[in-house]
Amino acid sequence: ELTQRYGTVFHYWLASKPVIVISDPPLVKDFITETGGFKRGSLEGNDASLLHALRLNKTVISMANIGKVNFCGTESILTSETGPKWKKKRKLMGPAFTLNRLSTYLPRFYNIAERLVAEVEKQLTSNGTGQVVNMSDVVAPFTIDAISLAGFNASPDEIRVLRGMGAGVRDIMTEARTNGNDRISVMRNAKLRETLHRAEMRVQEIRDTGREMILKRTGNGTYGSFHDVLDYIVAANTAEETGTIEMEETLDDFVTMYVAGNATTHTALGFVLCELVRNPDVMETLVAEVDNVWSEACISSSSSASEIGEALKNMPYLDLVIKETMEAVYGLL
């Protein structure tokens, strides 16, 4: 609505802070890919004070800075890397996200989707007509399962641990956003300081789990055989000369990829579901397409990755729904 009214680039004031909104795809691409006027990884002003406070073990944290400074006070995170190190990581980790690589997980994704549908039906039935269901909370545990499988080839036990930790971090971050997460709010609010301390502890638990997964994989000889995100993260943080793994940097990237992958996936899926509910005619057309393609291809939980992949290629309306939602919500295609 704001974009339609004011255009693809406009600004407004949020209290004393100026906010610039850019929803023009070419400009967004320039903003993301060109580092000229936006120094990647630089910490200035409040950010520098934030890092200093973290290093002094003070709980003064802006949740918006999770990509630049993690809860443990480290600035060598994937999203803030620059120069040769960034190029190396991008080159080594890129293959983990190719369509061919992700398609091998389609049967597992199908099973997760079946469980998600069952959970949604359960929620709608148990809550009764007219009751509000927070779809983000319903969807998030299943996207954690998907990210844990595709990105880290986690075992069922590891997925259960990560699911519990991920849910804890999500709840804590929601609480922080509700109560205010800027520096002044944190300084004044004892409850919020405690909230962010719990977030720190949760993220440390995720790091500990990541460490165990990495040591297990490198110790039993399976490292390099999965070609997943975890393999590429380890490779990107291994010194070429000595073969030594930079464990802390590896764990920084592990947390970044885990949290970012889960948050973006369940948020996008939540927006898609929201738009479908608001547009029942679109939902009806989409359901008809999925049902027809699924039944014609005889897709089931025992179907192979190639069979599911070919069926998905025959769902152009599904592709349009996702793209239209991304454009409506994020201003992107």
Side-chain angles (χ1 to χ4, degrees):
E1 182 180 343
L2 291 175
T3 299
Q4 293 174 351
R5 182 180 301 177
Y6 301 112
T8 56
V9 180
F10 62 92
H11 79 279
Y12 64 92
W13 288 85
L14 182 62
S16 61
K17 297 181 181 180
V19 178
I20 299 176
V21 178
I22 304 174
S23 58
D24 180 66
L27 290 179
V28 173
K29 181 180 179 181
D30 287 343
F31 182 89
I32 294 174
T33 58
E34 298 296 331
T35 60
F38 308 96
K39 295 181 181 179
R40 185 182 182 88
S42 62
L43 291 171
E44 302 174 353
N46 290 336
D47 289 336
S49 300
L50 170 65
L51 180 60
H52 180 65
L54 283 168
R55 283 175 170 166
L56 293 177
N57 294 319
K58 293 180 180 178
T59 312
V60 181
I61 302 172
S62 169
M63 304 302 284
N65 282 312
I66 189 171
K68 291 195 283 186
V69 182
N70 79 349
F71 293 101
C72 300
T74 306
E75 56 180 314
S76 58
I77 298 179
L78 179 66
T79 52
S80 62
E81 297 285 15
T82 58
K85 183 176 286 189
W86 162 243
K87 291 180 180 179
K88 175 188 175 184
K89 290 190 176 184
R90 183 173 64 178
K91 179 180 178 181
L92 288 174
M93 294 175 64
F97 300 97
T98 62
L99 183 59
N100 286 339
R101 182 63 207 158
L102 293 176
S103 66
T104 61
Y105 294 100
L106 285 175
R108 296 184 182 182
F109 290 161
Y110 180 88
N111 291 329
I112 293 172
E114 280 192 323
R115 291 193 285 111
L116 173 58
V117 170
E119 180 62 25
V120 171
E121 292 176 342
K122 175 184 174 182
Q123 290 288 334
L124 294 176
T125 302
S126 60
N127 282 278
T129 305
Q131 297 297 313
V132 176
V133 177
N134 188 330
M135 290 306 300
S136 179
D137 290 343
V138 174
V139 169
F142 296 93
T143 60
I144 289 176
D145 290 359
I147 295 299
S148 299
L149 280 171
F152 307 105
N153 211 57
S155 67
D157 288 339
E158 290 166 340
I159 289 176
R160 278 192 290 271
V161 172
L162 289 170
R163 180 191 268 216
M165 294 177 184
V169 171
R170 186 180 71 254
D171 293 343
I172 291 167
M173 292 176 75
T174 300
E175 184 179 340
R177 285 195 298 268
T178 301
N179 294 317
N181 54 49
D182 58 277
R183 185 173 182 177
I184 294 176
S185 296
V186 174
M187 293 284 284
R188 291 179 175 177
N189 191 325
K191 180 179 179 182
L192 185 54
R193 289 200 300 273
E194 175 60 27
T195 295
L196 295 179
H197 177 66
R198 286 189 287 114
E200 238 183 347
M201 299 301 292
R202 282 290 190 176
V203 172
Q204 185 58 53
E205 289 173 357
I206 294 176
R207 291 174 71 87
D208 292 341
T209 301
R211 185 190 302 273
E212 292 175 5
M213 294 172 65
I214 292 167
L215 293 176
K216 175 183 175 182
R217 185 173 293 193
T218 55
N220 63 17
T222 57
Y223 163 62
S225 63
F226 295 103
H227 304 288
D228 57 5
V229 174
L230 186 55
D231 267 358
Y232 291 116
I233 286 176
V234 175
N237 290 289
T238 300
E240 296 180 1
E241 299 81 9
T242 63
T244 303
I245 299 173
E246 297 289 344
M247 183 59 74
E248 292 307 309
E249 285 197 29
T250 304
L251 295 175
D252 291 341
D253 291 345
F254 177 90
V255 173
T256 301
M257 298 301 295
Y258 174 77
V259 174
N262 175 52
T264 52
T265 303
H266 88 74
T267 301
L269 186 54
F271 279 128
V272 169
L273 294 173
C274 178
E275 290 298 322
L276 288 174
V277 171
R278 294 171 60 184
N279 298 275
D281 55 330
V282 174
M283 180 164 59
E284 183 177 345
T285 303
L286 178 60
V287 170
E289 177 186 75
V290 173
D291 285 346
N292 289 336
V293 173
W294 241 226
S295 60
E296 289 178 5
C298 300
I299 299 298
S300 67
S301 57
S302 60
S303 297
S304 66
S306 60
E307 291 171 336
I308 298 175
E310 286 302 314
L312 289 173
K313 291 178 182 178
N314 295 321
M315 297 184 186
Y317 198 74
L318 172 62
D319 187 53
L320 290 174
V321 166
I322 295 173
K323 288 181 177 179
E324 287 282 340
T325 302
M326 296 301 99
E327 182 178 24
V329 174
Y330 300 112
L332 293 171
L333 274 178

